[in-house]
Short mmCIF file of all heavy atoms in Angstrom, two decimals:
data_model
loop_
_atom_site.label_atom_id
_atom_site.label_comp_id
_atom_site.label_asym_id
_atom_site.label_seq_id
_atom_site.Cartn_x
_atom_site.Cartn_y
_atom_site.Cartn_z
N MET A 903 -0.45 -5.77 -7.38
CA MET A 903 -0.97 -7.02 -6.77
C MET A 903 -1.41 -7.89 -7.84
O MET A 903 -2.19 -7.44 -8.72
CB MET A 903 -2.03 -6.68 -5.77
CG MET A 903 -2.46 -7.81 -4.91
SD MET A 903 -1.12 -8.51 -3.91
CE MET A 903 -0.62 -7.17 -2.78
N PRO A 904 -1.12 -9.11 -7.85
CA PRO A 904 -1.70 -10.00 -8.86
C PRO A 904 -3.22 -10.03 -8.77
O PRO A 904 -3.78 -10.13 -7.62
CB PRO A 904 -1.13 -11.32 -8.45
CG PRO A 904 0.14 -11.05 -7.71
CD PRO A 904 -0.12 -9.87 -7.05
N THR A 905 -3.93 -9.86 -9.88
CA THR A 905 -5.44 -9.85 -9.83
C THR A 905 -6.06 -11.10 -9.34
O THR A 905 -7.19 -11.17 -9.08
CB THR A 905 -5.94 -9.46 -11.31
OG1 THR A 905 -5.45 -10.38 -12.13
CG2 THR A 905 -5.48 -8.06 -11.64
N GLY A 906 -5.40 -12.31 -9.56
CA GLY A 906 -5.89 -13.49 -9.14
C GLY A 906 -5.83 -13.74 -7.73
O GLY A 906 -6.35 -14.93 -7.22
N ARG A 907 -5.19 -12.96 -6.85
CA ARG A 907 -4.94 -13.19 -5.55
C ARG A 907 -6.30 -12.75 -4.75
O ARG A 907 -6.56 -11.53 -4.78
CB ARG A 907 -3.80 -12.34 -4.95
CG ARG A 907 -3.45 -12.68 -3.57
CD ARG A 907 -2.06 -12.32 -3.21
NE ARG A 907 -1.11 -13.08 -3.97
CZ ARG A 907 0.10 -12.99 -3.93
NH1 ARG A 907 0.70 -12.01 -3.22
NH2 ARG A 907 0.88 -13.76 -4.62
N ASP A 908 -6.97 -13.61 -4.08
CA ASP A 908 -8.18 -13.40 -3.36
C ASP A 908 -7.93 -12.63 -1.97
O ASP A 908 -8.68 -11.76 -1.62
CB ASP A 908 -8.96 -14.56 -3.03
CG ASP A 908 -9.53 -15.28 -4.27
OD1 ASP A 908 -9.77 -14.56 -5.22
OD2 ASP A 908 -9.60 -16.47 -4.24
N GLU A 909 -6.77 -12.96 -1.40
CA GLU A 909 -6.44 -12.29 -0.14
C GLU A 909 -4.99 -11.74 -0.13
O GLU A 909 -4.20 -12.28 -0.77
CB GLU A 909 -6.62 -13.37 1.02
CG GLU A 909 -7.91 -13.98 1.23
CD GLU A 909 -8.01 -14.97 2.41
OE1 GLU A 909 -7.03 -14.89 3.13
OE2 GLU A 909 -9.05 -15.64 2.48
N HIS A 910 -4.86 -10.55 0.47
CA HIS A 910 -3.55 -9.98 0.56
C HIS A 910 -3.52 -9.07 1.71
O HIS A 910 -4.70 -8.79 2.40
CB HIS A 910 -3.15 -9.36 -0.64
CG HIS A 910 -4.07 -8.22 -1.18
ND1 HIS A 910 -4.12 -6.96 -0.70
CD2 HIS A 910 -5.06 -8.37 -2.17
CE1 HIS A 910 -5.12 -6.27 -1.19
NE2 HIS A 910 -5.70 -6.97 -2.12
N ALA A 911 -2.46 -8.53 2.05
CA ALA A 911 -2.34 -7.69 3.32
C ALA A 911 -3.11 -6.41 3.23
O ALA A 911 -3.29 -5.73 4.30
CB ALA A 911 -0.87 -7.35 3.58
N GLY A 912 -3.50 -5.89 2.10
CA GLY A 912 -4.16 -4.70 2.02
C GLY A 912 -5.82 -4.78 1.97
O GLY A 912 -6.45 -3.81 1.64
N VAL A 913 -6.30 -5.98 2.23
CA VAL A 913 -7.85 -6.19 2.17
C VAL A 913 -8.59 -5.20 3.17
O VAL A 913 -9.74 -4.96 2.99
CB VAL A 913 -8.22 -7.60 2.17
CG1 VAL A 913 -7.76 -8.44 1.05
CG2 VAL A 913 -7.87 -8.12 3.57
N ALA A 914 -7.88 -4.78 4.17
CA ALA A 914 -8.57 -3.87 5.08
C ALA A 914 -8.77 -2.47 4.66
O ALA A 914 -9.42 -1.78 5.27
CB ALA A 914 -7.77 -3.89 6.50
N GLY A 915 -8.17 -2.14 3.47
CA GLY A 915 -8.38 -0.88 2.84
C GLY A 915 -7.10 -0.12 2.74
O GLY A 915 -5.94 -0.45 3.15
N PRO A 916 -7.14 1.06 2.05
CA PRO A 916 -6.00 1.83 1.68
C PRO A 916 -5.60 2.60 2.80
O PRO A 916 -6.31 2.91 3.78
CB PRO A 916 -6.49 2.72 0.59
CG PRO A 916 -7.97 2.95 0.76
CD PRO A 916 -8.41 1.64 1.40
N PHE A 917 -4.21 2.87 2.82
CA PHE A 917 -3.60 3.80 3.83
C PHE A 917 -2.45 4.55 3.18
O PHE A 917 -1.87 4.13 2.12
CB PHE A 917 -3.11 3.04 5.08
CG PHE A 917 -2.06 1.92 4.77
CD1 PHE A 917 -0.79 2.19 4.82
CD2 PHE A 917 -2.56 0.77 4.39
CE1 PHE A 917 0.13 1.29 4.52
CE2 PHE A 917 -1.59 -0.38 4.21
CZ PHE A 917 -0.27 -0.05 4.29
N THR A 918 -2.03 5.56 3.71
CA THR A 918 -0.99 6.52 3.28
C THR A 918 0.15 6.65 4.31
O THR A 918 -0.30 6.97 5.49
CB THR A 918 -1.52 7.84 2.79
OG1 THR A 918 -2.43 7.65 1.86
CG2 THR A 918 -0.22 8.65 2.26
N LEU A 919 1.35 6.31 4.00
CA LEU A 919 2.42 6.48 4.99
C LEU A 919 2.97 7.91 4.79
O LEU A 919 3.27 8.25 3.60
CB LEU A 919 3.42 5.36 4.92
CG LEU A 919 3.00 3.96 5.21
CD1 LEU A 919 4.09 3.04 4.92
CD2 LEU A 919 2.58 3.92 6.74
N ILE A 920 3.20 8.57 5.79
CA ILE A 920 3.75 9.94 5.65
C ILE A 920 5.07 10.14 6.56
O ILE A 920 5.15 9.67 7.66
CB ILE A 920 2.76 10.95 6.14
CG1 ILE A 920 1.51 10.81 5.45
CG2 ILE A 920 3.31 12.41 6.22
CD1 ILE A 920 0.28 11.45 6.12
N LEU A 921 6.12 10.65 5.99
CA LEU A 921 7.34 11.00 6.68
C LEU A 921 7.50 12.47 6.48
O LEU A 921 7.72 12.99 5.34
CB LEU A 921 8.52 10.17 6.17
CG LEU A 921 9.79 10.49 6.85
CD1 LEU A 921 9.75 10.14 8.32
CD2 LEU A 921 11.00 9.69 6.10
N THR A 922 7.48 13.23 7.59
CA THR A 922 7.58 14.71 7.49
C THR A 922 9.08 15.12 7.35
O THR A 922 10.01 14.22 7.53
CB THR A 922 7.01 15.47 8.67
OG1 THR A 922 7.84 15.24 9.77
CG2 THR A 922 5.56 14.95 8.92
N ARG A 923 9.39 16.37 7.02
CA ARG A 923 10.70 16.93 6.94
C ARG A 923 11.43 16.75 8.29
O ARG A 923 12.67 16.59 8.37
CB ARG A 923 10.73 18.21 6.54
CG ARG A 923 10.39 18.57 4.99
CD ARG A 923 10.48 19.90 4.63
NE ARG A 923 10.05 20.03 3.18
CZ ARG A 923 9.83 21.12 2.65
NH1 ARG A 923 9.87 22.28 3.32
NH2 ARG A 923 9.47 21.08 1.41
N GLN A 924 10.62 16.79 9.38
CA GLN A 924 11.27 16.61 10.73
C GLN A 924 11.35 15.17 11.04
O GLN A 924 11.69 14.91 12.32
CB GLN A 924 10.35 17.43 11.73
CG GLN A 924 10.17 18.93 11.53
CD GLN A 924 9.27 19.24 10.48
OE1 GLN A 924 8.32 18.58 10.03
NE2 GLN A 924 9.56 20.42 9.80
N ARG A 925 11.10 14.32 10.19
CA ARG A 925 11.35 12.86 10.42
C ARG A 925 10.21 12.21 11.24
O ARG A 925 10.50 11.20 11.85
CB ARG A 925 12.70 12.44 10.89
CG ARG A 925 13.80 13.10 10.19
CD ARG A 925 14.09 12.56 8.77
NE ARG A 925 14.45 11.20 8.72
CZ ARG A 925 14.40 10.40 7.67
NH1 ARG A 925 14.11 11.02 6.54
NH2 ARG A 925 14.74 9.14 7.72
N ARG A 926 9.09 12.86 11.29
CA ARG A 926 8.02 12.38 12.03
C ARG A 926 7.25 11.41 11.08
O ARG A 926 6.82 11.70 10.04
CB ARG A 926 7.06 13.50 12.52
CG ARG A 926 5.94 12.91 13.39
CD ARG A 926 5.33 14.19 14.09
NE ARG A 926 4.26 13.61 15.09
CZ ARG A 926 3.18 14.28 15.40
NH1 ARG A 926 3.09 15.53 14.94
NH2 ARG A 926 2.32 13.66 16.14
N ARG A 927 6.94 10.15 11.63
CA ARG A 927 6.23 9.17 10.80
C ARG A 927 4.77 9.19 11.25
O ARG A 927 4.44 9.05 12.53
CB ARG A 927 6.80 7.85 11.05
CG ARG A 927 8.39 7.79 10.51
CD ARG A 927 9.13 6.74 10.86
NE ARG A 927 8.46 5.44 11.33
CZ ARG A 927 8.87 4.55 12.07
NH1 ARG A 927 10.22 4.69 12.67
NH2 ARG A 927 8.31 3.46 12.40
N MET A 928 3.89 9.07 10.28
CA MET A 928 2.39 9.05 10.51
C MET A 928 1.79 8.19 9.41
O MET A 928 2.41 7.85 8.45
CB MET A 928 1.75 10.52 10.40
CG MET A 928 2.36 11.41 11.48
SD MET A 928 1.63 13.04 11.21
CE MET A 928 2.84 13.86 10.16
N ALA A 929 0.52 7.86 9.73
CA ALA A 929 -0.29 6.93 8.74
C ALA A 929 -1.64 7.69 8.68
O ALA A 929 -2.18 8.10 9.63
CB ALA A 929 -0.32 5.56 9.13
N TYR A 930 -2.21 7.71 7.46
CA TYR A 930 -3.61 8.28 7.12
C TYR A 930 -4.34 7.21 6.67
O TYR A 930 -4.03 6.49 5.66
CB TYR A 930 -3.42 9.48 6.26
CG TYR A 930 -4.80 10.04 5.84
CD1 TYR A 930 -5.40 10.79 6.74
CD2 TYR A 930 -5.24 9.90 4.59
CE1 TYR A 930 -6.65 11.47 6.41
CE2 TYR A 930 -6.46 10.40 4.16
CZ TYR A 930 -7.13 11.08 5.18
OH TYR A 930 -8.37 11.65 4.72
N THR A 931 -5.56 7.02 7.13
CA THR A 931 -6.55 6.06 6.67
C THR A 931 -7.82 6.88 6.45
O THR A 931 -8.15 7.83 7.15
CB THR A 931 -6.83 4.94 7.67
OG1 THR A 931 -7.28 5.45 8.97
CG2 THR A 931 -5.57 4.05 7.92
N GLU A 932 -8.58 6.42 5.45
CA GLU A 932 -9.83 7.07 5.06
C GLU A 932 -10.88 6.07 4.81
O GLU A 932 -10.57 5.09 4.00
CB GLU A 932 -9.59 8.00 3.99
CG GLU A 932 -10.82 8.92 3.64
CD GLU A 932 -10.46 10.02 2.55
OE1 GLU A 932 -9.36 10.58 2.71
OE2 GLU A 932 -11.18 10.06 1.72
N GLY A 933 -12.01 6.19 5.28
CA GLY A 933 -13.19 5.27 5.04
C GLY A 933 -14.47 6.07 4.52
O GLY A 933 -14.41 7.25 4.48
N GLN A 934 -15.50 5.42 4.54
CA GLN A 934 -16.74 5.98 4.11
C GLN A 934 -17.32 7.05 5.11
O GLN A 934 -17.86 8.06 4.81
CB GLN A 934 -17.87 5.02 3.82
CG GLN A 934 -17.62 4.14 2.53
CD GLN A 934 -18.82 3.33 2.37
OE1 GLN A 934 -19.79 3.14 3.03
NE2 GLN A 934 -18.68 2.54 1.21
N SER A 935 -17.12 6.70 6.45
CA SER A 935 -17.58 7.56 7.43
C SER A 935 -16.54 8.29 8.28
O SER A 935 -16.98 9.04 9.27
CB SER A 935 -18.55 6.83 8.34
OG SER A 935 -17.85 5.70 8.92
N ASN A 936 -15.26 7.98 7.99
CA ASN A 936 -14.28 8.71 8.90
C ASN A 936 -12.98 8.67 8.16
O ASN A 936 -12.63 7.85 7.38
CB ASN A 936 -14.16 7.98 10.19
CG ASN A 936 -13.71 6.50 10.24
OD1 ASN A 936 -13.25 6.03 9.26
ND2 ASN A 936 -13.91 5.98 11.40
N SER A 937 -12.09 9.50 8.81
CA SER A 937 -10.75 9.56 8.29
C SER A 937 -9.92 9.82 9.55
O SER A 937 -10.31 10.54 10.52
CB SER A 937 -10.40 10.60 7.32
OG SER A 937 -10.72 11.95 7.72
N THR A 938 -8.74 9.26 9.56
CA THR A 938 -7.89 9.28 10.76
C THR A 938 -6.38 9.42 10.33
O THR A 938 -5.85 8.78 9.51
CB THR A 938 -8.01 7.99 11.65
OG1 THR A 938 -9.36 7.71 11.91
CG2 THR A 938 -7.21 8.11 12.94
N LEU A 939 -5.79 10.39 11.09
CA LEU A 939 -4.29 10.51 11.05
C LEU A 939 -3.72 9.91 12.26
O LEU A 939 -3.91 10.32 13.38
CB LEU A 939 -3.89 12.07 11.03
CG LEU A 939 -2.51 12.33 10.89
CD1 LEU A 939 -1.87 11.79 9.50
CD2 LEU A 939 -2.21 13.75 10.99
N HIS A 940 -2.98 8.80 12.10
CA HIS A 940 -2.40 8.02 13.14
C HIS A 940 -1.05 8.50 13.37
O HIS A 940 -0.19 8.74 12.43
CB HIS A 940 -2.39 6.50 12.77
CG HIS A 940 -3.66 5.98 12.38
ND1 HIS A 940 -4.56 5.41 13.25
CD2 HIS A 940 -4.32 5.81 11.13
CE1 HIS A 940 -5.64 4.98 12.61
NE2 HIS A 940 -5.47 5.21 11.31
N THR A 941 -0.81 8.85 14.66
CA THR A 941 0.48 9.36 15.10
C THR A 941 1.20 8.47 16.12
O THR A 941 2.42 8.73 16.30
CB THR A 941 0.46 10.75 15.57
OG1 THR A 941 -0.43 10.85 16.71
CG2 THR A 941 -0.03 11.70 14.49
N ALA A 942 0.58 7.60 16.77
CA ALA A 942 1.03 6.68 17.80
C ALA A 942 2.09 5.94 17.20
O ALA A 942 1.81 5.20 16.12
CB ALA A 942 -0.04 5.90 18.53
N PRO A 943 3.41 5.88 17.65
CA PRO A 943 4.33 5.06 17.03
C PRO A 943 4.11 3.54 16.73
O PRO A 943 4.29 3.02 15.71
CB PRO A 943 5.63 5.21 17.91
CG PRO A 943 5.39 6.58 18.52
CD PRO A 943 3.93 6.62 18.79
N ALA A 944 3.41 2.89 17.73
CA ALA A 944 3.07 1.48 17.59
C ALA A 944 2.00 1.30 16.41
O ALA A 944 2.16 0.40 15.63
CB ALA A 944 2.51 0.89 18.86
N LYS A 945 1.04 2.29 16.34
CA LYS A 945 0.12 2.24 15.32
C LYS A 945 0.68 2.38 13.89
O LYS A 945 0.35 1.64 12.89
CB LYS A 945 -1.11 3.17 15.53
CG LYS A 945 -2.20 2.97 14.68
CD LYS A 945 -3.02 1.83 14.93
CE LYS A 945 -4.36 1.89 14.22
NZ LYS A 945 -5.12 0.67 14.53
N VAL A 946 1.60 3.42 13.73
CA VAL A 946 2.26 3.71 12.57
C VAL A 946 3.17 2.52 12.18
O VAL A 946 3.28 2.10 10.97
CB VAL A 946 3.13 4.98 12.60
CG1 VAL A 946 3.86 5.22 11.37
CG2 VAL A 946 2.13 6.12 12.93
N GLN A 947 3.86 1.88 13.11
CA GLN A 947 4.68 0.77 12.85
C GLN A 947 3.94 -0.37 12.24
O GLN A 947 4.35 -1.16 11.41
CB GLN A 947 5.45 0.32 14.12
CG GLN A 947 6.53 -0.73 13.85
CD GLN A 947 7.35 -1.04 15.03
OE1 GLN A 947 6.93 -0.87 16.07
NE2 GLN A 947 8.50 -1.58 14.89
N GLY A 948 2.71 -0.61 12.70
CA GLY A 948 1.82 -1.57 12.30
C GLY A 948 1.49 -1.38 10.74
O GLY A 948 1.50 -2.29 9.98
N PHE A 949 1.19 -0.12 10.39
CA PHE A 949 0.97 0.17 8.95
C PHE A 949 2.23 -0.09 8.13
O PHE A 949 2.19 -0.50 7.01
CB PHE A 949 0.39 1.60 8.75
CG PHE A 949 -1.05 1.71 9.20
CD1 PHE A 949 -1.35 2.34 10.35
CD2 PHE A 949 -2.03 1.20 8.35
CE1 PHE A 949 -2.64 2.42 10.76
CE2 PHE A 949 -3.31 1.28 8.75
CZ PHE A 949 -3.68 1.98 9.90
N GLU A 950 3.44 0.29 8.60
CA GLU A 950 4.68 0.16 8.00
C GLU A 950 4.97 -1.39 7.78
O GLU A 950 5.41 -1.71 6.66
CB GLU A 950 5.73 0.81 8.71
CG GLU A 950 5.65 2.25 8.64
CD GLU A 950 6.63 2.96 9.63
OE1 GLU A 950 7.08 2.29 10.62
OE2 GLU A 950 7.05 4.11 9.26
N SER A 951 4.60 -2.21 8.70
CA SER A 951 4.71 -3.62 8.50
C SER A 951 3.79 -4.14 7.50
O SER A 951 4.30 -4.94 6.71
CB SER A 951 4.48 -4.40 9.89
OG SER A 951 5.38 -4.04 10.89
N THR A 952 2.56 -3.65 7.51
CA THR A 952 1.54 -4.18 6.51
C THR A 952 2.11 -3.75 5.06
O THR A 952 2.00 -4.48 4.05
CB THR A 952 0.32 -3.43 6.76
OG1 THR A 952 -0.27 -3.90 7.91
CG2 THR A 952 -0.73 -3.82 5.53
N TYR A 953 2.66 -2.51 4.97
CA TYR A 953 3.29 -2.07 3.69
C TYR A 953 4.30 -3.06 3.21
O TYR A 953 4.45 -3.44 2.00
CB TYR A 953 3.80 -0.60 3.79
CG TYR A 953 4.37 -0.10 2.44
CD1 TYR A 953 3.59 0.10 1.40
CD2 TYR A 953 5.74 0.04 2.41
CE1 TYR A 953 4.13 0.54 0.17
CE2 TYR A 953 6.23 0.56 1.26
CZ TYR A 953 5.58 0.82 0.12
OH TYR A 953 6.10 1.26 -0.94
N GLY A 954 5.24 -3.42 4.10
CA GLY A 954 6.26 -4.37 3.76
C GLY A 954 5.77 -5.74 3.21
O GLY A 954 6.25 -6.31 2.32
N VAL A 955 4.74 -6.21 3.87
CA VAL A 955 4.05 -7.43 3.39
C VAL A 955 3.44 -7.25 2.00
O VAL A 955 3.55 -8.08 1.13
CB VAL A 955 2.97 -7.94 4.44
CG1 VAL A 955 2.18 -9.13 3.81
CG2 VAL A 955 3.62 -8.22 5.73
N LEU A 956 2.78 -6.18 1.85
CA LEU A 956 2.20 -5.83 0.50
C LEU A 956 3.25 -5.79 -0.56
O LEU A 956 3.05 -6.28 -1.64
CB LEU A 956 1.54 -4.48 0.59
CG LEU A 956 0.07 -4.42 1.22
CD1 LEU A 956 -0.48 -3.06 1.43
CD2 LEU A 956 -0.86 -5.18 0.24
N ARG A 957 4.34 -5.22 -0.22
CA ARG A 957 5.49 -5.18 -1.25
C ARG A 957 5.96 -6.67 -1.60
O ARG A 957 6.36 -6.84 -2.69
CB ARG A 957 6.66 -4.33 -0.70
CG ARG A 957 6.31 -2.86 -0.74
CD ARG A 957 7.49 -2.00 -0.28
NE ARG A 957 8.52 -2.20 -1.29
CZ ARG A 957 9.78 -1.83 -1.14
NH1 ARG A 957 10.09 -1.16 -0.10
NH2 ARG A 957 10.66 -1.98 -2.12
N ALA A 958 6.05 -7.46 -0.58
CA ALA A 958 6.40 -8.73 -0.79
C ALA A 958 5.48 -9.60 -1.66
O ALA A 958 5.68 -10.53 -2.36
CB ALA A 958 6.68 -9.49 0.57
N GLN A 959 4.13 -9.26 -1.47
CA GLN A 959 3.10 -10.03 -2.22
C GLN A 959 2.83 -9.53 -3.58
O GLN A 959 2.22 -10.13 -4.43
CB GLN A 959 1.80 -9.99 -1.36
CG GLN A 959 1.84 -10.67 -0.05
CD GLN A 959 0.57 -10.47 0.73
OE1 GLN A 959 -0.05 -9.29 0.66
NE2 GLN A 959 0.12 -11.44 1.44
N ALA A 960 3.30 -8.29 -3.87
CA ALA A 960 3.08 -7.59 -5.19
C ALA A 960 3.85 -8.27 -6.29
O ALA A 960 4.85 -8.93 -6.08
CB ALA A 960 3.30 -6.21 -5.05
N MET A 961 3.49 -7.99 -7.44
CA MET A 961 4.19 -8.50 -8.69
C MET A 961 5.56 -7.76 -8.82
O MET A 961 5.65 -6.59 -8.28
CB MET A 961 3.38 -8.21 -9.88
CG MET A 961 2.22 -9.06 -10.21
SD MET A 961 1.40 -8.82 -11.74
CE MET A 961 0.19 -7.56 -11.38
N THR A 962 6.55 -8.32 -9.36
CA THR A 962 7.74 -7.69 -9.59
C THR A 962 7.56 -6.70 -10.81
O THR A 962 6.56 -6.78 -11.56
CB THR A 962 8.82 -8.64 -10.07
OG1 THR A 962 8.46 -9.30 -11.32
CG2 THR A 962 9.07 -9.82 -8.99
N PRO A 963 8.59 -5.71 -10.89
CA PRO A 963 8.40 -4.81 -12.15
C PRO A 963 8.24 -5.58 -13.45
O PRO A 963 7.40 -5.18 -14.28
CB PRO A 963 9.62 -4.01 -11.96
CG PRO A 963 9.97 -3.96 -10.54
CD PRO A 963 9.66 -5.26 -10.03
N ARG A 964 9.01 -6.66 -13.63
CA ARG A 964 8.91 -7.35 -14.83
C ARG A 964 7.56 -7.97 -15.07
O ARG A 964 6.99 -7.99 -16.07
CB ARG A 964 10.06 -8.44 -14.95
CG ARG A 964 10.09 -9.18 -16.24
CD ARG A 964 11.28 -9.97 -16.27
NE ARG A 964 12.41 -9.06 -16.41
CZ ARG A 964 13.68 -9.42 -16.39
NH1 ARG A 964 13.99 -10.68 -16.48
NH2 ARG A 964 14.70 -8.54 -16.48
N GLU A 965 6.99 -8.57 -13.92
CA GLU A 965 5.71 -9.20 -14.05
C GLU A 965 4.56 -8.11 -14.37
O GLU A 965 3.72 -8.39 -14.97
CB GLU A 965 5.33 -9.91 -12.67
CG GLU A 965 6.18 -11.22 -12.56
CD GLU A 965 6.11 -11.76 -11.01
OE1 GLU A 965 5.85 -10.94 -10.16
OE2 GLU A 965 6.31 -12.95 -10.92
N SER A 966 4.82 -7.06 -13.69
CA SER A 966 3.79 -5.88 -13.89
C SER A 966 3.81 -5.47 -15.39
O SER A 966 2.78 -5.23 -16.04
CB SER A 966 4.11 -4.73 -12.89
OG SER A 966 3.84 -4.91 -11.60
N LEU A 967 5.03 -5.33 -15.88
CA LEU A 967 5.14 -4.90 -17.26
C LEU A 967 4.48 -5.95 -18.24
O LEU A 967 3.65 -5.57 -19.13
CB LEU A 967 6.56 -4.76 -17.66
CG LEU A 967 6.90 -4.38 -19.21
CD1 LEU A 967 6.24 -3.04 -19.49
CD2 LEU A 967 8.31 -4.34 -19.41
N ALA A 968 4.71 -7.20 -17.99
CA ALA A 968 4.15 -8.30 -18.77
C ALA A 968 2.53 -8.25 -18.66
O ALA A 968 1.83 -8.39 -19.72
CB ALA A 968 4.69 -9.62 -18.38
N TRP A 969 2.10 -8.03 -17.54
CA TRP A 969 0.60 -7.96 -17.32
C TRP A 969 0.06 -6.71 -18.08
O TRP A 969 -1.02 -6.82 -18.64
CB TRP A 969 0.29 -7.92 -15.71
CG TRP A 969 -1.11 -7.80 -15.47
CD1 TRP A 969 -2.00 -8.82 -15.55
CD2 TRP A 969 -1.86 -6.78 -14.92
NE1 TRP A 969 -3.21 -8.45 -15.12
CE2 TRP A 969 -3.23 -7.17 -14.67
CE3 TRP A 969 -1.49 -5.39 -14.58
CZ2 TRP A 969 -4.14 -6.28 -14.24
CZ3 TRP A 969 -2.51 -4.52 -14.13
CH2 TRP A 969 -3.79 -5.00 -13.95
N ILE A 970 0.68 -5.57 -18.01
CA ILE A 970 0.15 -4.39 -18.72
C ILE A 970 0.15 -4.59 -20.21
O ILE A 970 -0.67 -4.23 -20.87
CB ILE A 970 1.03 -3.13 -18.26
CG1 ILE A 970 0.67 -2.79 -16.80
CG2 ILE A 970 0.74 -1.98 -19.15
CD1 ILE A 970 1.63 -1.79 -16.16
N GLU A 971 1.39 -5.17 -20.68
CA GLU A 971 1.30 -5.41 -22.17
C GLU A 971 0.24 -6.39 -22.53
O GLU A 971 -0.30 -6.17 -23.60
CB GLU A 971 2.77 -5.87 -22.53
CG GLU A 971 3.84 -4.96 -22.41
CD GLU A 971 5.20 -5.48 -22.50
OE1 GLU A 971 5.47 -6.60 -22.41
OE2 GLU A 971 6.09 -4.60 -22.99
N LYS A 972 -0.12 -7.40 -21.72
CA LYS A 972 -1.09 -8.32 -22.09
C LYS A 972 -2.42 -7.66 -22.05
O LYS A 972 -3.24 -7.83 -23.04
CB LYS A 972 -1.11 -9.45 -21.03
CG LYS A 972 -2.21 -10.47 -21.28
CD LYS A 972 -2.15 -11.61 -20.19
CE LYS A 972 -3.29 -12.55 -20.40
NZ LYS A 972 -4.34 -12.42 -19.64
N LEU A 973 -2.67 -6.70 -21.17
CA LEU A 973 -3.98 -6.00 -21.26
C LEU A 973 -4.07 -5.07 -22.38
O LEU A 973 -5.16 -5.06 -22.92
CB LEU A 973 -4.06 -5.15 -19.93
CG LEU A 973 -4.38 -5.88 -18.60
CD1 LEU A 973 -4.43 -4.84 -17.49
CD2 LEU A 973 -5.71 -6.59 -18.72
N LEU A 974 -3.02 -4.45 -22.75
CA LEU A 974 -2.91 -3.63 -23.92
C LEU A 974 -3.23 -4.33 -25.14
O LEU A 974 -3.98 -3.95 -26.10
CB LEU A 974 -1.72 -2.74 -24.00
CG LEU A 974 -1.42 -1.72 -23.05
CD1 LEU A 974 -0.10 -1.18 -23.05
CD2 LEU A 974 -2.47 -0.63 -23.09
N GLY A 975 -2.71 -5.57 -25.23
CA GLY A 975 -3.05 -6.50 -26.38
C GLY A 975 -4.42 -6.88 -26.50
O GLY A 975 -4.96 -7.27 -27.49
N GLU A 976 -5.10 -6.94 -25.32
CA GLU A 976 -6.55 -7.35 -25.41
C GLU A 976 -7.54 -6.18 -25.76
O GLU A 976 -8.65 -6.44 -25.96
CB GLU A 976 -6.85 -7.96 -24.02
CG GLU A 976 -6.06 -9.24 -23.72
CD GLU A 976 -6.37 -9.68 -22.25
OE1 GLU A 976 -7.17 -9.04 -21.56
OE2 GLU A 976 -5.86 -10.71 -21.93
N LEU A 977 -6.98 -4.98 -25.77
CA LEU A 977 -7.85 -3.87 -26.10
C LEU A 977 -8.24 -3.78 -27.58
O LEU A 977 -7.58 -4.13 -28.51
CB LEU A 977 -7.16 -2.54 -25.79
CG LEU A 977 -6.89 -2.31 -24.33
CD1 LEU A 977 -6.31 -0.90 -24.04
CD2 LEU A 977 -8.30 -2.36 -23.61
#
C-alpha cells in the first residue's frame, strides 16, 4: 500500500482469508480483545471483496520494487 495513502480498504484492521482442502472458504480476524473465525458465506464474501479493493489500491510490483530500492538507498 502506498505509504502516503491516508485511507484504504484495510483501515478496519487485518484479516486472513482461508480456503481449506475441502474448498470451504473462511475469514479470520483478530483484535486486542477478541478473535473470530467467520464461516457465514455472506460475511466471508465481504472480506473477499475488501481484499479485491486492497489489491486494486496497492502498489504494482514495479512500484513496490522502486520504493524498496529508495528505502535501501536512504539507509
Side-chain angles (χ1 to χ4, degrees):
M903 187 63 59
T905 56
R907 188 162 291 177
D908 293 332
E909 297 181 15
H910 56 78
V913 296
F917 59 91
T918 303
L919 295 174
I920 302 164
L921 178 63
T922 68
R923 289 182 182 170
Q924 294 78 25
R925 309 293 296 166
R926 186 169 181 201
R927 297 168 22 207
M928 297 178 269
Y930 175 76
T931 58
E932 188 172 312
Q934 288 185 1
S935 62
N936 65 12
S937 60
T938 306
L939 182 64
H940 303 275
T941 58
K945 188 72 169 179
V946 174
Q947 187 176 23
F949 283 108
E950 290 172 334
S951 293
T952 298
Y953 179 70
V955 173
L956 280 168
R957 288 186 62 190
Q959 293 175 326
M961 289 186 266
T962 66
R964 185 169 293 179
E965 291 168 332
S966 295
L967 177 60
W969 182 71
I970 292 167
E971 287 174 339
K972 180 179 178 261
L973 286 178
L974 289 173
E976 294 174 0
L977 292 178

